Amino acid sequence: MSSHYEAPIREPLVTGEKTYHDISVEVGAPVLGRANKTWYVVFTLALIAFLWGLGCIIYTVSTGIGVWGLNKTIGWAWDITNFVWWVGIGHAGTLISAVLLLFRQKWRMAVNRSAEAMTIFAVVQAGLFPIIHMGRPWLAYWVLPIPNQFGSLWVNFNSPLLWDVFAISTYLSVSLVFWWTGLLPDFAMLRDRTTNEFQKKIYGILSFGWSGRVKDWQRFEEVSLVLAGLATPLVLSVHTIVSFDFATSVVPGWHSTIFPPYFVAGAIFSGFAMVQTLLIIMRKVVNLQDYITLLHIEYMNKVILLTGGIVSVAYITEFFIGWYSGTSYENYTYLSFGAATGPYAWAFWALIICNFVVPLTLWVKKLRRNILWTFIVALVINIGMWFERFDIIVIDLSKGRTPSSWAMFSPTFVDIGVFIGTIGFFFVLFLLYARTFPVIAQAEVKTILKSSGEYYKNLRAKHGDD
Amino acid sequence: MYTLSSKLKLTAIILVIVGAIGLVYGFISTPSNEEELKELLAADAHGEHGGEEHHEASATTEQHGETADVAHDESVEQHGETAHGEGEHGDSHMEHVLHQFQTKPWSALFVSAFFFFMIALGALVFYAIQYVAQAGWSPVLFRVIEGVTNYLLPGSIIVVLIVIFAGTHFYPWQNHELVEEDVILQGKSGYLNFPFFVIRAIIYLIGWNVYRFIATRNSIAQATASNLTPYKKNFKASVFFLLFFVITETTMAWDWFMSMTPHWYSTLFAWYVFASVFVSAITVIALVTMFLKKAGHLEFVNDSHLHDLAKFMFAFSVFWTYLWFGQFLLIWYANIPEEVTYFIIRIEEYNLLFFGMIALNFIFPILMLINSDYKRIPWFVIMAGVVILVGHYIDIFLLVMPSTVGPYWSFGITEIAGILFFLGLFIFFVGTGLGKESLYPKGNPFLKESENYHY
């Protein structure tokens, strides 16, 4: 790919005096070792949350959607909020693995594996909502254009909800394939390093007989590049299509042409916040501070700043055009004077504070490089981005064109339970992943060790870089 | 060291002179009263007209006036002249058509002026992004980009002068009588009023040019500096410029283009304009780089750099299409009357241009530039680049013309003269800009990385 020379002013991406062997050992350690007590405690908590959520889902499906807090005015609330929130979170994974690959960002190599895992687990959570929010989920297969005995009754391809079906399922499959191809050399490494016969067998199957020949690597790189080139428009289009669910409508506040790029920017914003949340804990727990360095955290904070800035410009645009349009209905939309002072003012201000005010602190270099502060900001953004979707959906619906149908929404325990359940499910999957998968793409990190490793950079500084 | 050859300088001067003559002709030949307009329309009815067939079919002016009504109503609405009652329609109609005819040379001037100006502005943004991103491949191109942005100062001054002096030719909300009759426009007058409009334009002008001044000064200072202070200053300046730019670009698009049809609004609009600005600028950077490389001034630039530029041309062509489609689809899908007028006039009166633009800006670039090997072949990239530039000229044409001259557009002497005039000016300023400094950006901390860059 790019040349191996690197300007001396770039900070190292791998700290410590690492060799190739060290990388294999340290990445393999959490998989080849045993889980400690904390892991079991956290896993159990996540599992309980998941099971509780599963109970709520079963209750909903068997009793009816009426157990949720929806009403005739507000037909979408927590369900779609959570859906969009989870899909959004997933986007950072693809951004890191695909877009940053296209931009040749070497720092992505330490974070891409976990970010992609996060994508896949988040999309799985997201994928639940379109099914469970259906009144008759057992007829969900009717959304697929399958020849049938109703005179071959087909779907209407004009609905963005149908586009969602294609978008999300394509997104999940492409992300999965992209992730798995990247895993092949790493699974092979585990297969070759483990002494346990059972593990050897499992990783032997998972690695598809990867032997790392020149021709294999050549094609591997080619495939990664092509998939990155395909995943980039895919990631943009998936969240665009999610945004179309709202923007194609005529609901004031929903019908806005900026939604496609603005949702995508928001997705990356919230996704990176989630990556930060997860990786800050993970680097500590599995001792990978030499690979996921402060520099990585700072870079991700910069991406958060950038996308947060884009989202802020979109907020201002929405607010301004709402006024500029001169339409009286626009004063009840989620970013309007009416929303700032109305019954959902708390949700409006939660959005402004979490997504605009708090992230501004990252402009300060000291705070951007402060791990604790980063962690707090990342959590705040995750909350804020949930509120953004909640505001867009609920505030805009609550005061529509006809005042006689204005209504408020309050969630029931089932709404909340399902959401908690998806968080539990997500962590169940992520915790299992962290114990069984190589959480850092060691094969990729090895390719930058000599150009970007601290030890080698010091050597070059001492002996000249020619 | 590059010097603008006398041959090229002469060409530029000839282009400017020829263009200026054409523009003057354009301004002189507009009908100054309704009598002249009627003669013109009658002549047009027999001859060729840029508009639709029904214009040509109408033998007399009277008929023309009537047949054009259907399409014309759209543009009436666009201009916010809802106050015209049915009874007085005949007279006010001719008055309106006269106004549109008188606007034609203004629009022709503005389309070309903005087109070349946006290349300089977009190049400046690209430059700032390369700094902020600490790109390792692009520093060898910095002097080239700085050269392209040399057109920013004259270009931006001309554009700002045009939007300030165009008055009601472009901006119906500057017509006081109209605003008095129009409640919607009154509601917007807090933003759409002349003094504030001028102040904003001047802020943009100063902000953009100040960054350009600081950036080039530091970049040149870095060549002789003993430490990285100028580079670091530029890094900071670029960050704040990008912040300033994203806000001013948004309001600029609202001010200069969206307010041409003051009843219409679209939240995506500003970002859509940006996509056009950006992709055209990258294309011109690639074209200028290839020109200089061919002339032997850029030995340190290799075909990997060209490959990267071509990838950006490809990617941002797709990005432009994404935004174009996003805006179009959402408005088409919801079909809200206030919003669709924008596309109705473009589809009915500018059909070929409107859809042809998609072929030029999307289909051609993706087919031509998807192959990795082709992206390294100069003549291939030049071919794609020319198509992209033509496409984005049409894009700007379609931002302006339907909103200002409505169905009475044409592509004739005035429009071509506009292109020639600003092309000449652009060549002259970019050429002299490139000749000011060595094209080798010595001292940049990523220079060696950039020189060794291979993909």
Side-chain angles (χ1 to χ4, degrees):
Chain A
M1 293 191 84
S2 58
S3 109
H4 284 286
Y5 173 76
E6 192 174 283
I9 72 160
R10 290 196 197 276
E11 285 180 58
L13 291 169
V14 181
T15 53
E17 289 191 15
K18 301 288 177 209
T19 60
Y20 289 144
H21 180 69
D22 293 336
I23 297 176
S24 303
V25 172
E26 286 169 28
V27 173
V31 182
L32 302 174
R34 294 200 154 272
N36 59 16
K37 215 180 253 168
T38 328
W39 187 87
Y40 280 105
V41 172
V42 179
F43 182 76
T44 312
L45 285 176
L47 193 65
I48 292 169
F50 168 45
L51 292 175
W52 167 248
L54 197 63
C56 288
I57 291 173
I58 292 168
Y59 176 57
T60 306
V61 172
S62 55
T63 314
I65 286 291
V67 300
W68 290 358
L70 301 174
N71 52 51
K72 282 182 185 169
T73 298
I74 300 169
W76 274 356
W78 276 53
D79 47 351
I80 300 300
T81 301
N82 298 336
F83 164 70
V84 180
W85 188 73
W86 276 119
V87 179
I89 282 176
H91 277 53
T94 319
L95 190 98
I96 289 172
S97 54
V99 179
L100 297 185
L101 176 78
L102 296 184
F103 281 111
R104 298 190 295 262
Q105 298 298 304
K106 290 176 178 174
W107 62 272
R108 63 174 263 286
M109 291 171 180
V111 291
N112 62 353
R113 175 67 41 74
S114 298
E116 286 168 53
M118 185 195 75
T119 295
I120 286 155
F121 305 147
V123 174
V124 168
Q125 308 313 320
L128 288 172
F129 287 100
I131 310 273
I132 60 172
H133 92 308
M134 287 180 174
R136 298 179 185 82
W138 48 91
L139 297 181
Y141 69 97
W142 283 13
V143 304
L144 301 173
I146 308 169
N148 53 55
Q149 290 173 322
F150 297 102
S152 215
L153 182 67
W154 266 31
V155 287
N156 185 341
F157 286 96
N158 289 344
S159 167
L161 298 182
L162 181 68
W163 307 340
D164 269 346
V165 173
F166 302 129
I168 302 292
S169 53
T170 311
Y171 186 49
L172 181 63
S173 14
V174 171
S175 300
L176 200 60
V177 170
F178 196 11
W179 188 48
W180 207 275
T181 40
L183 275 161
L184 294 178
D186 290 10
F187 279 147
M189 181 274 284
L190 288 175
R191 171 198 67 197
D192 297 343
R193 290 192 58 78
T194 182
T195 47
N196 177 323
E197 275 311 305
F198 177 71
Q199 272 191 334
K200 206 173 218 38
K201 187 126 198 151
I202 295 291
Y203 288 112
I205 294 168
L206 294 180
S207 61
F208 294 178
W210 177 266
S211 57
R213 291 172 304 171
V214 171
K215 204 71 202 169
D216 295 348
W217 277 113
Q218 211 175 20
R219 287 175 178 144
F220 175 89
E221 297 261 321
E222 200 77 4
V223 163
S224 307
L225 197 60
V226 169
L227 279 179
L230 287 174
T232 302
L234 186 66
V235 72
L236 261 78
S237 67
V238 167
H239 219 67
T240 291
I241 286 169
V242 170
S243 83
F244 282 171
D245 294 348
F246 311 104
T248 53
S249 73
V250 293
V251 175
W254 281 11
H255 180 72
S256 172
T257 49
I258 208 170
F259 269 28
Y262 151 58
F263 266 51
V264 173
I268 298 163
F269 183 52
S270 67
F272 264 83
M274 190 59 120
V275 176
Q276 292 278 34
T277 318
L278 297 173
L279 287 190
I280 285 174
I281 296 175
M282 196 165 81
R283 68 195 281 274
K284 188 109 187 164
V285 174
V286 289
N287 268 324
L288 293 171
Q289 282 108 321
D290 282 336
Y291 303 98
I292 302 168
T293 64
L294 203 53
L295 185 66
H296 290 84
I297 291 171
E298 190 187 6
Y299 279 154
M300 288 196 278
N301 275 336
K302 284 182 175 175
V303 177
I304 287 176
L305 262 182
L306 172 71
T307 48
I310 295 173
V311 170
S312 303
V313 172
Y315 290 164
I316 297 165
T317 304
E318 285 272 12
F319 202 96
F320 176 82
I321 299 286
W323 167 82
Y324 181 87
S325 71
T327 315
S328 49
Y329 304 112
E330 290 281 338
N331 194 31
Y332 301 109
T333 61
Y334 74 108
L335 277 172
S336 64
F337 187 71
T341 53
Y344 280 112
W346 54 276
F348 173 89
W349 290 108
L351 161 80
I352 299 295
I353 291 166
C354 296
N355 287 353
F356 177 65
V357 180
V358 175
L360 282 182
T361 57
L362 295 179
W363 278 91
V364 181
K365 187 166 184 171
K366 269 209 177 115
L367 293 173
R368 200 161 64 218
R369 292 187 80 114
N370 180 320
I371 293 180
L372 180 66
W373 183 248
T374 301
F375 187 73
I376 294 169
V377 172
L379 271 182
V380 167
I381 291 171
N382 277 319
I383 296 167
M385 285 307 290
W386 190 88
F387 271 106
E388 184 194 296
R389 279 65 179 257
F390 177 81
D391 288 6
I392 289 174
I393 294 169
V394 174
I395 296 182
D396 288 343
L397 285 179
S398 71
K399 286 188 177 176
R401 285 198 163 85
T402 320
S404 61
S405 60
W406 284 2
M408 292 290 286
F409 169 82
S410 52
T412 65
F413 80 94
V414 192
D415 281 301
I416 300 166
V418 172
F419 181 45
I420 291 173
T422 53
I423 293 174
F425 191 15
F426 177 79
F427 279 103
V428 164
L429 292 171
F430 198 82
L431 285 165
L432 286 173
Y433 149 81
R435 297 280 316 122
T436 48
F437 280 52
V439 293
I440 282 183
Q442 53 88 26
E444 291 198 61
V445 171
K446 283 174 184 170
T447 65
I448 59 161
L449 181 65
K450 288 190 175 169
S451 64
S452 311
E454 190 182 24
Y455 174 67
Y456 292 91
K457 283 184 99 75
N458 286 343
L459 275 185
R460 276 201 299 275
K462 229 179 278 168
H463 303 290
D465 57 4
D466 281 307
Chain B
M1 198 82 177
Y2 170 77
T3 39
L4 182 59
S5 67
S6 54
K7 210 163 111 190
L8 207 54
K9 198 183 258 172
L10 190 68
T11 316
I13 291 168
I14 291 172
L15 285 173
V16 169
I17 293 169
V18 171
I21 294 169
L23 283 169
V24 169
Y25 165 81
F27 275 95
I28 292 172
S29 63
T30 50
S32 54
N33 54 43
E34 289 184 22
E35 293 309 308
E36 279 181 47
L37 174 68
K38 279 178 184 162
E39 277 169 37
L40 192 72
L41 286 174
D44 263 0
H46 296 293
E48 58 202 297
H49 188 280
E52 296 290 286
E53 276 154 0
H54 62 253
H55 293 305
E56 288 167 58
S58 53
T60 68
T61 353
E62 214 53 53
Q63 269 178 324
H64 185 284
E66 272 172 23
T67 44
D69 262 3
V70 186
H72 184 64
D73 276 344
E74 306 295 345
S75 60
V76 166
E77 188 160 42
Q78 297 250 334
H79 278 259
E81 299 186 13
T82 42
H84 294 308
E86 287 298 315
E88 48 174 317
H89 201 88
D91 267 359
S92 69
H93 171 71
M94 282 315 282
E95 201 182 296
H96 183 71
V97 174
L98 176 67
H99 189 246
Q100 290 188 321
F101 265 83
Q102 287 172 339
T103 299
K104 281 175 71 171
W106 281 94
S107 300
L109 182 72
F110 183 54
V111 170
S112 301
F114 186 82
F115 178 73
F116 285 97
F117 151 74
M118 78 176 186
I119 290 168
L121 180 65
L124 194 67
V125 177
F126 188 70
Y127 182 75
I129 290 173
Q130 299 305 310
Y131 258 101
V132 172
Q134 299 184 312
W137 67 279
S138 55
V140 290
L141 304 171
F142 278 2
R143 287 283 190 274
V144 177
I145 305 176
E146 284 162 18
V148 173
T149 60
N150 196 43
Y151 179 71
L152 185 73
L153 185 63
S156 56
I157 289 173
I158 294 172
V159 166
V160 167
L161 287 178
I162 295 173
V163 294
I164 289 176
F165 287 102
T168 53
H169 285 300
F170 289 171
Y171 307 112
W173 52 266
Q174 290 182 9
N175 181 345
H176 296 293
E177 290 163 30
L178 189 71
V179 176
E180 273 167 29
E181 293 162 353
D182 192 319
V183 189
I184 296 178
L185 291 189
Q186 283 163 18
K188 298 181 186 200
S189 62
Y191 184 78
L192 294 181
N193 63 70
F194 190 65
F196 190 27
F197 178 81
V198 174
I199 291 170
R200 286 197 301 268
I202 291 171
I203 291 174
Y204 312 154
L205 181 76
I206 294 173
W208 300 335
N209 282 295
V210 163
Y211 168 70
R212 202 246 156 206
F213 176 75
I214 293 174
T216 43
R217 197 189 52 185
N218 281 330
S219 166
I220 291 160
Q222 184 64 67
T224 50
S226 53
N227 55 23
L228 288 177
T229 319
Y231 163 77
K232 285 177 182 158
K233 276 188 189 161
N234 252 7
F235 180 87
K236 274 211 173 117
S238 303
V239 171
F240 288 105
F241 166 69
L242 288 176
L243 199 62
F244 177 80
F245 174 78
V246 69
I247 295 164
T248 50
E249 195 275 337
T250 307
T251 50
M252 174 207 78
W254 296 339
D255 288 356
W256 297 355
F257 296 101
M258 203 161 86
S259 81
M260 284 175 169
T261 48
H263 277 199
W264 182 80
Y265 50 87
S266 166
T267 41
L268 183 62
F269 189 73
W271 296 4
Y272 167 70
V273 173
F274 168 72
S276 218
V277 170
F278 203 55
V279 71
S280 314
I282 294 169
T283 305
V284 170
I285 293 170
L287 295 182
V288 174
T289 306
M290 278 180 283
F291 170 78
L292 292 172
K293 169 98 181 143
K294 185 96 202 297
H297 298 287
L298 297 174
E299 269 114 43
F300 41 91
V301 170
N302 58 45
D303 62 356
S304 293
H305 297 109
L306 178 62
H307 188 181
D308 270 16
L309 283 170
K311 275 191 273 191
F312 271 110
M313 287 159 63
F314 172 85
F316 280 93
S317 290
V318 177
F319 181 71
W320 174 87
T321 314
Y322 164 64
L323 295 184
W324 175 85
F325 182 69
Q327 180 165 271
F328 177 71
L329 176 103
L330 291 177
I331 290 174
W332 170 82
Y333 195 109
N335 204 20
I336 296 173
E338 295 95 301
E339 291 186 356
V340 288
T341 50
Y342 185 83
F343 286 112
I344 286 176
I345 187 168
R346 279 160 180 79
I347 291 173
E348 285 184 350
E349 304 290 341
Y350 295 77
N351 196 287
L352 181 65
L353 285 184
F354 186 71
F355 292 109
M357 166 174 84
I358 311 306
L360 297 179
N361 289 345
F362 178 60
I363 299 171
F364 270 57
I366 66 160
L367 292 180
M368 287 203 270
L369 293 178
I370 196 145
N371 187 312
S372 190
D373 296 331
Y374 290 176
K375 285 194 278 263
R376 292 165 182 269
I377 303 171
W379 67 267
F380 218 89
V381 180
I382 291 173
M383 202 166 69
V386 170
V387 172
I388 290 173
L389 288 179
V390 171
H392 286 279
Y393 174 84
I394 296 174
D395 188 24
I396 303 302
F397 191 84
L398 286 175
L399 283 180
V400 175
M401 291 294 179
S403 310
T404 56
V405 304
Y408 303 103
W409 67 279
S410 54
F411 190 79
I413 292 172
T414 329
E415 285 76 12
I416 293 168
I419 296 174
L420 297 182
F421 179 80
F422 288 103
L423 178 66
L425 218 55
F426 187 80
I427 292 173
F428 182 78
F429 277 97
V430 173
T432 44
L434 288 167
K436 274 186 197 153
E437 290 296 324
S438 157
L439 289 175
Y440 184 71
K442 229 179 103 207
N444 186 295
F446 298 104
L447 187 57
K448 192 172 168 195
E449 203 174 293
S450 179
E451 273 185 279
N452 285 319
Y453 170 63
H454 283 286
Y455 182 76

